[in-house]
Amino acid sequence: MPQNAEILQIGTGNKTVKLFANLNRSRTFREKNRAFAMEGSRLILDAVQSGVKLRALLWTEKAKGMYCADFAENPLPAQTLLISDALAKEIADTETAQGIFAIGEMLPESAALPQNGSRNMLLHCVQDPSNLGAILRTAEALGTDGLYLFQCCDLYNPKTIRSSMGAMFRLPLMRIVDMDAFFAHCRTVSLPTCAAVVDRDAQSLGSYDFCRGAVVLIGNEGNGLPAEVSMACEKRLTIPMAPASNSLNAAMAAGLFLWEMTKS
């Protein structure tokens, strides 16, 4: 197993440690390097088993002893470094870090544009990384033919990755840059577009039949979908709520729509 002899300490100026720290805190840096930071044995193993190539693995002596066997069937990267407990605590993004960290290469987008009869979801300007991760996790659990992101928060934000529990490595994902073109494509393939709205005059989610497939659009946590986007959709659907309630968490709303789509 490739392994450096020394244990890296705080302040050693190691390039790989610096790279990890920069990837952990900067979206711009992640996009420039086409790489991202991870921590935790389960997440790193999920990534490797889902096809993510590791550029580097960093672990403490304790973590190496605990998790080395987990990687027996997965080749370790050439850059496999021992780090001190103090350095592990410094670079960790969580309070209860396990002492194992990795740098992974971003995966190519795996979704194609949606087709007739398929069941899909488009997230429009979702900005909370934990919400995004929760939606990804739910989408994997309930199944989706495609998950599309328009001007959302960073898919490789550490909070998104953790919240998704590795689902982001396996889901069919695609970033959308032109909503008009996306709507035009859906019309061409006769695929309904459905806006999730908070509007008591909209059609109740439970009464809509998804047998023709659909793309459900979920909007921003605070503002929902812009009026021009929701009005461009073929249908406007709402989740019935108690009279005193006027909002629902975006991740929860997405989960309810994904569940309803499984029934058809």
Side-chain angles (χ1 to χ4, degrees):
M1 178 183 69
Q3 182 69 62
N4 66 319
E6 67 174 325
I7 299 177
L8 297 175
Q9 305 290 335
I10 292 176
T12 56
N14 180 272
K15 291 182 179 180
T16 303
V17 174
K18 287 183 177 179
L19 176 62
F20 179 90
N22 286 327
L23 292 171
N24 220 7
R25 61 173 172 254
S26 171
R27 178 176 187 169
T28 301
F29 201 82
R30 289 190 287 270
E31 292 175 348
K32 178 182 178 181
N33 287 272
R34 301 299 301 163
F36 62 100
M38 296 177 282
E39 63 180 83
S41 63
R42 179 178 175 181
L43 180 59
I44 295 169
L45 274 171
D46 268 355
V48 171
Q49 292 167 357
S50 301
V52 173
K53 181 180 178 181
L54 298 187
R55 291 187 186 177
L57 182 71
L58 305 88
W59 50 13
T60 63
E61 285 191 295
K62 180 180 178 181
K64 178 188 172 185
M66 291 178 64
Y67 306 117
C68 187
D70 296 338
F71 288 86
E73 297 180 3
N74 301 281
L76 292 173
Q79 285 256 28
T80 303
L81 309 176
L82 272 177
I83 60 175
S84 68
D85 292 340
L87 181 54
K89 185 175 181 180
E90 181 176 83
I91 66 174
D93 195 54
T94 62
E95 292 294 327
T96 56
Q98 297 175 326
I100 178 170
F101 311 86
I103 296 172
E105 294 186 0
M106 291 183 179
L107 290 168
E109 294 181 353
S110 56
L113 287 171
Q115 299 302 313
N116 180 269
S118 62
R119 294 173 174 82
N120 315 271
M121 180 165 284
L122 186 146
L123 307 180
H124 189 284
C125 299
V126 171
Q127 295 303 308
D128 185 288
S130 296
N131 267 343
L132 178 57
I135 294 171
L136 296 174
R137 186 178 179 183
T138 304
E140 182 187 34
L142 297 179
T144 181
D145 294 310
L147 195 64
Y148 303 92
L149 310 177
F150 178 79
Q151 295 184 4
C152 291
C153 58
D154 185 13
L155 188 61
Y156 289 95
N157 181 293
K159 291 181 180 179
T160 303
I161 297 173
R162 286 197 301 274
S163 298
S164 81
M165 294 293 289
M168 59 171 289
F169 303 131
R170 297 178 290 272
L171 280 168
L173 296 166
M174 177 185 281
R175 292 178 179 86
I176 298 299
V177 297
D178 186 332
M179 287 297 299
D180 290 336
F182 185 82
F183 277 124
H185 168 80
C186 292
R187 289 192 294 269
T188 298
V189 299
S190 301
L191 183 65
T193 49
C194 302
V197 298
V198 180
D199 184 345
R200 300 187 193 282
D201 294 327
Q203 182 174 346
S204 172
L205 169 60
S207 69
Y208 184 76
D209 188 350
F210 286 99
C211 65
R212 293 169 54 208
V215 179
V216 171
L217 282 76
I218 302 290
N220 174 269
E221 293 90 343
N223 302 314
L225 291 170
E228 64 271 18
V229 172
S230 64
M231 295 307 294
C233 291
E234 182 178 317
K235 290 288 183 180
R236 299 172 74 251
L237 304 178
T238 193
I239 298 168
M241 291 181 280
S245 178
N246 61 3
S247 66
L248 192 65
N249 174 270
M252 180 62 73
L256 291 171
F257 273 89
L258 287 164
W259 171 248
E260 287 296 327
M261 281 195 283
T262 68
K263 297 180 179 180
S264 299

